[in-house]
Amino acid sequence: MKQRIPFTQLSDRQWAALRPYVVKDHPAGRPLADLRQRMNAILFLISTDAPWRELPPEYGAWASIARHYRRLTHAGLWENLLIAL
């Protein structure tokens, strides 16, 4: 896995800016695992040239992270998230 750009975990301030966009207002179904860790996983992978399957295990199941990424993409949230950062 080659790092294309430097990566650092989301700071508390960055997470506070993103949190309103990724946390649902009302709980429906099972609660998601640590959303901050999921966002860190997505941002980490974006900074590499690796496929989802090579996501380091400390971030959780790659398939769950990929599914979360697709949900954010289909909801059209990436522009809002990047502006918030």
Side-chain angles (χ1 to χ4, degrees):
M1 179 180 321
K2 181 179 176 188
Q3 200 74 31
R4 294 182 306 173
I5 57 174
F7 171 75
T8 56
Q9 301 280 324
L10 289 169
S11 68
D12 291 340
R13 185 174 177 193
Q14 291 170 324
W15 175 239
L18 293 183
R19 193 170 190 275
Y21 296 98
V22 296
V23 176
K24 294 180 180 178
D25 289 336
H26 56 86
R30 287 187 312 170
L32 293 175
D34 184 3
L35 287 174
R36 184 175 183 168
Q37 186 70 351
R38 283 180 182 230
M39 293 305 296
N40 278 321
I42 291 168
L43 295 172
F44 170 79
L45 199 65
I46 289 170
S47 73
T48 71
D49 62 352
W52 286 107
R53 291 180 190 266
E54 290 184 19
L55 189 66
E58 63 263 21
Y59 287 113
W62 68 267
S64 295
I65 306 298
R67 186 171 40 256
H68 188 69
Y69 172 80
R70 283 191 302 275
R71 286 179 183 156
L72 293 175
T73 300
H74 289 285
L77 290 179
W78 280 110
E79 184 175 355
N80 292 336
L81 295 175
L82 294 174
I83 289 169
L85 280 177

